[in-house]
């Protein structure tokens, strides 16, 4: 199996990381003791872009290990069995002939669907909105990293990262994670219509033969619409899928269903599913965050899943009892008057001073 060498230097997780939302007004991330926010500006950790690529790959590696998708991970050399995500990057080199001497423009995609010929992978990318294409150094790459933080929080899979668990609840969470890995976790695959599952493996990059799902070419090489193209429809938008355009398959949904690349989104938040990682429930694909919330309440204070049956509820929101506190002064508010604004609790004193 492939081995990955860990980097010796680890990213700094303290002050000095600017907040994206505050545009320079925040002097740097100051971690709260239990909330997943900055004490200075009250924005979330994801707004400060704290995680490194290595941390992201370790997180997804942990998620996919001990599941049927463990082939997308590799052991870290000297990592005591720890597995890391074999993220598929794609580098595209195009000649630039505008100048006197030809040069080459190189574009790096920080993630691309694995196991595809580059032509099909590029077709997939072109079907994603440009602002979401994960090209290194662009907003699209940043959007991917932020979706990864939001949709797949580490504390939804690792009890050691949770501060809201009471004694005896670690085992409950371990069983929760084991169950969703076995029953719901999935990774979408990309193929041409009708070639999901084993079918797409027969496709060869240099194969010039016409396959049944592909539209026939006219004499000048342009693609003509195939009569059978309407046979395939996207699960989300219900529109026909052209036979020559890649689609996304989810094995837990069965290979009779397919999605346009831009339509493979969480059924709850409609966000594109980061790196095609989905959770299947009730005939639909969910992101990890909303799948977990569909089974257990999430604390509006610490953002972790609540495993206790004794928690505080107000207006459809939930809190660990020890986290039912004022956002500003941290006073516990159980049995006391409070104000609720944008899912944040404030005591009457702090509410009036705003």
């Amino acid at each position: 199996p492939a081995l990955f060498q860990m980097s010796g230097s680890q990213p700094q997780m303290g002050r000095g990381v600017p907040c994206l939302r505050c545009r320079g007004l925040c002097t740097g991330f100051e971690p709260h003791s239990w909330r997943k926010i900055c004490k200075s500006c009250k924005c979330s950790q994801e707004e400060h872009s704290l995680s490194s690529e290595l941390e992201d790959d370790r997180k997804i590696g942990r998620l996919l290990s001990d599941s049927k998708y463990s082939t997308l991970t590799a052991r870290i050399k000297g990592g005591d069995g720890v597995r890391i995500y074999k993220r598929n990057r794609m580098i595209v080199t195009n000649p630039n002939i505008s100048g006197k001497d030809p040069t080459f423009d190189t574009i790096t995609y920080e993630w691309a669907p694995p196991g595809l010929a580059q032509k099909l992978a590029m077709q997939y990318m072109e079907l994603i909105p440009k602002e979401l294409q994960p090209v290194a150094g662009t907003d699209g790459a940043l959007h991917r990293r932020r979706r990864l933080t939001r949709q797949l929080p580490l504390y939804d899979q690792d009890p050691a990262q949770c501060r809201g668990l009471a004694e005896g609840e670690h085992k409950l969470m371990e069983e929760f994670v084991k169950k969703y890995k076995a029953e719901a976790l999935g990774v979408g695959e990309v193929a041409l219509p009708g070639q999901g599952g084993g079918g797409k493996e027969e496709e060869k990059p240099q194969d010039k033969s016409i396959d049944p799902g592909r539209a026939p070419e006219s004499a000048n090489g342009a693609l003509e619409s195939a009569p059978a193209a309407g046979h395939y429809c996207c699960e989300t938008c219900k529109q026909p899928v052209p036979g020559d355009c890649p689609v996304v398959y989810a094995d837990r949904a069965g290979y009779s269903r397919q999605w346009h690349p831009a339509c493979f989104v969480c059924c709850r938040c409609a966000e594109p599913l980061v790196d095609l990682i989905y959770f299947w429930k009730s005939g639909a694909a969910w992101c990890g965050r909303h799948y977990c919330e569909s089974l257990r309440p999430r604390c509006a204070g610490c953002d972790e899943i609540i495993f206790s049956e004794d928690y505080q509820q107000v207006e459809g929101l939930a809190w660990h009892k020890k986290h039912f506190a004022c956002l500003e002064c941290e006073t516990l508010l159980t049995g006391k008057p409070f104000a609720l604004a944008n899912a944040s609790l404030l005591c009457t004193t702090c509410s009036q001073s705003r």
Side-chain angles (χ1 to χ4, degrees):
L3 295 177
F4 281 67
Q5 184 73 49
M6 278 182 60
S7 168
S9 61
Q10 295 297 317
Q12 296 298 310
M13 292 290 288
R15 280 182 173 273
V17 185
C19 177
L20 299 173
R21 181 178 291 178
C22 293
R23 300 292 180 184
L25 297 178
C26 173
T27 56
F29 183 72
E30 186 179 354
H32 190 277
S33 58
W34 52 267
R35 299 183 194 269
K36 309 298 189 294
I37 62 170
C38 172
K39 284 176 70 175
S40 173
C41 66
K42 302 294 190 295
C43 290
S44 67
Q45 288 184 2
E46 66 191 89
E47 299 293 348
H48 290 79
S49 293
L50 288 186
S51 62
S52 67
E53 283 195 3
L54 175 62
E55 289 172 313
D56 288 345
D57 289 346
R58 285 173 65 99
K59 177 174 74 171
I60 301 184
R62 180 188 176 95
L63 176 66
L64 300 180
S65 65
D66 303 320
S67 79
K68 62 180 181 176
Y69 304 96
S70 60
T71 54
L72 296 174
T73 68
R75 280 191 305 115
I76 297 177
K77 188 176 181 180
D80 297 326
V82 173
R83 301 190 73 86
I84 193 167
Y85 180 38
K86 292 191 296 187
R87 175 162 48 92
N88 184 48
R89 297 173 181 84
M90 181 170 67
I91 300 174
V92 180
T93 303
N94 297 313
N96 182 354
I97 55 174
S98 58
K100 187 175 181 181
D101 298 316
T103 56
F104 294 91
D105 293 330
T106 300
I107 300 172
T108 300
Y109 291 87
E110 292 193 351
W111 172 86
L116 299 183
Q118 191 175 87
K119 181 180 176 182
L120 193 59
M122 281 303 301
Q123 273 187 285
Y124 169 88
M125 286 299 175
E126 287 162 7
L127 293 170
I128 299 289
K130 190 166 182 62
E131 66 272 15
L132 297 180
Q133 294 174 14
V135 175
T138 68
D139 284 346
L142 180 62
H143 279 304
R144 175 190 166 269
R145 300 280 299 283
R146 290 174 70 180
R147 285 202 310 276
L148 197 153
T149 301
R150 176 114 183 118
Q151 294 180 15
L152 303 170
L154 184 56
Y155 43 86
D156 276 10
Q157 56 166 303
D158 184 0
Q161 301 294 322
C162 298
R163 299 185 180 178
L165 293 175
E167 189 177 348
E169 291 177 0
H170 281 73
K171 189 69 177 173
L172 288 174
M173 181 170 181
E174 286 172 1
E175 290 300 317
F176 179 80
V177 173
K178 187 178 178 181
K179 195 172 192 308
Y180 75 53
K181 284 191 180 189
E183 298 179 2
L185 174 65
V187 181
E189 59 184 87
V190 176
L192 290 173
Q195 295 187 12
K200 74 174 174 42
E201 294 175 5
E202 297 170 8
E203 178 197 354
K204 297 178 177 58
Q206 302 302 320
D207 191 357
K208 305 287 191 204
S209 62
I210 297 174
D211 62 68
R214 186 174 173 81
E217 289 188 357
S218 66
N220 64 4
L223 289 172
E224 296 176 345
S225 57
H231 176 68
Y232 302 107
C233 285
C234 172
E235 278 293 304
T236 298
C237 70
K238 306 303 180 187
Q239 295 300 306
V241 173
D244 62 318
C245 288
V247 292
V248 179
Y249 288 94
D251 64 334
R252 291 192 184 274
Y255 287 99
S256 62
R257 303 182 184 190
Q258 58 274 308
W259 287 260
H260 291 116
C263 290
F264 194 59
V265 300
C266 171
C267 67
R268 172 80 177 274
C269 63
E271 279 284 307
L273 292 161
V274 65
D275 292 14
L276 304 181
I277 297 170
Y278 68 93
F279 292 73
W280 190 254
K281 181 191 172 193
S282 303
W286 302 62
C287 71
R289 166 175 290 274
H290 290 119
Y291 171 80
C292 290
E293 288 178 14
S294 75
L295 301 176
R296 302 285 319 177
R298 186 180 295 279
C299 178
C302 72
D303 201 45
E304 294 171 13
I305 300 297
I306 299 174
F307 288 91
S308 169
E309 297 305 323
D310 185 23
Y311 56 91
Q312 192 77 36
Q313 273 188 302
V314 178
E315 294 184 16
L317 298 172
W319 286 262
H320 291 107
K321 287 208 163 179
K322 62 184 176 182
H323 294 159
F324 193 71
C326 176
L327 178 67
E328 299 291 347
C329 68
E330 302 293 340
T331 301
L332 284 174
L333 296 173
T334 304
K336 298 179 180 178
F338 61 86
L340 182 63
N342 297 323
S344 297
L345 292 166
L346 294 169
C347 67
T348 51
T349 303
C350 291
S351 175
Q352 289 167 4
S353 65
R354 273 196 166 190

